[in-house]
Structures are given as structure tokens and as C-alpha cells.
Amino acid sequence: FSAEHLGGWHSSPMASPVGNESNMALESFLLHFSNLRALLCPSIQRQSDDDVLASDFLGTLDASDVGDPQKLSVDKERLDKMLAHVSFSRANYIEAGDHGWDTSSMLLLIVSELKDFFPRLPARQRDWFACADELKRL
């Protein structure tokens, strides 16, 4: 929803929200992207024993990657420094003009990885992810 609201997915012509509404939609999208990245690829971020991982649904007892860590590592450090773990480094990205986000590409990437994950789920767990059927249409 937040990606669509930003105007980088279903909108034609491209129409973006402005001001605080844009900031809210962008922060929501980036936070969800980061959370889904952690779900699919625990190897690329710090984790705790009680974190829910995609591999948990596949019967794997260890924290294994279900998504492609190379693909999902794109902009990881910048995203973590600017949003997930707000740091003093955030100002450096802003000063360097590296504060824009290609939400369309990020959305395509995460949807692609989820489309690979959902078919691997056991049938009894498919209902837990109602959105899986919606992704087939994308």
C-alpha cells in the first residue's frame, strides 16, 4: 500500500504525495522492506533467537536464507543508517545527495523474492499468507 501510495507502482501518470504524507509513506515502505528483508535473509543482519524467519515456515531448524542475500543487500547499510538504526552517519548520506530511494525497484525486488518463497510453503501454511495469491497476479 505504501509503495502504491508513493506512486512508483500502479500510478499513471506518476503522482506522488507531498510533504509529511510523502515522508510517512516512504518511511512505512522502507521499514516494511527492511522487515521483509530480515524475514527472508537473516544472514545479512543481526538477529535474535525469537525472530520469525521465512525458514521457520519451511521446517528448517537453523536461521537459513530463503531469499537471495546478494539482491537484498542492495542499499542495506544506507537503509539501516538512515531508518532502521538512525545514526549520525545519516547526515553524511544527506549531504552527499544520497537520500533518494528507488522504491519501484525495491518493490519489484521484494515481491520477486516473496514469489519465490510462497510456493515453497507447505499447503497447511499457505492460508497464513493470504497475500501470496495476490502476488501471482503481479
Side-chain angles (χ1 to χ4, degrees):
F1 175 79
S2 59
E4 184 176 335
H5 194 69
L6 286 168
W9 184 244
H10 288 270
S11 142
S12 178
M14 297 295 269
S16 297
V18 295
N20 289 335
E21 185 178 344
S22 176
N23 292 338
M24 176 190 64
L26 179 60
E27 185 170 331
S28 174
F29 173 80
L30 294 174
L31 187 58
H32 281 85
F33 181 90
S34 179
N35 287 337
L36 289 170
R37 180 186 64 197
L39 176 85
L40 294 168
C41 290
S43 71
I44 60 176
Q45 38 199 82
R46 192 173 18 170
Q47 58 182 319
S48 300
D49 290 338
D50 65 340
D51 287 352
V52 176
L53 307 173
S55 58
D56 294 336
F57 297 99
L58 302 177
T60 306
L61 298 178
D62 63 338
S64 58
D65 290 339
V66 171
D68 184 334
Q70 284 188 306
K71 289 180 183 175
L72 291 172
S73 290
V74 172
D75 276 332
K76 181 196 176 321
E77 181 180 336
R78 184 169 67 109
L79 181 59
D80 289 351
K81 295 289 186 180
M82 293 186 73
L83 178 76
H85 307 286
V86 178
S87 68
F88 291 109
S89 298
R90 185 176 195 274
N92 298 335
Y93 290 106
I94 293 169
E95 287 175 21
D98 193 14
H99 51 81
W101 299 96
D102 185 355
T103 56
S104 296
S105 294
M106 292 172 78
L107 179 62
L108 291 173
L109 172 64
I110 204 72
V111 166
S112 173
E113 293 295 310
L114 288 171
K115 284 173 107 173
D116 289 343
F117 164 64
F118 288 133
R120 296 173 60 191
L121 287 170
R124 69 184 185 282
Q125 293 175 340
R126 296 266 306 148
D127 290 341
W128 297 356
F129 300 94
C131 64
D133 292 329
E134 292 177 33
L135 288 177
K136 288 181 186 175
R137 292 180 284 209
L138 299 178

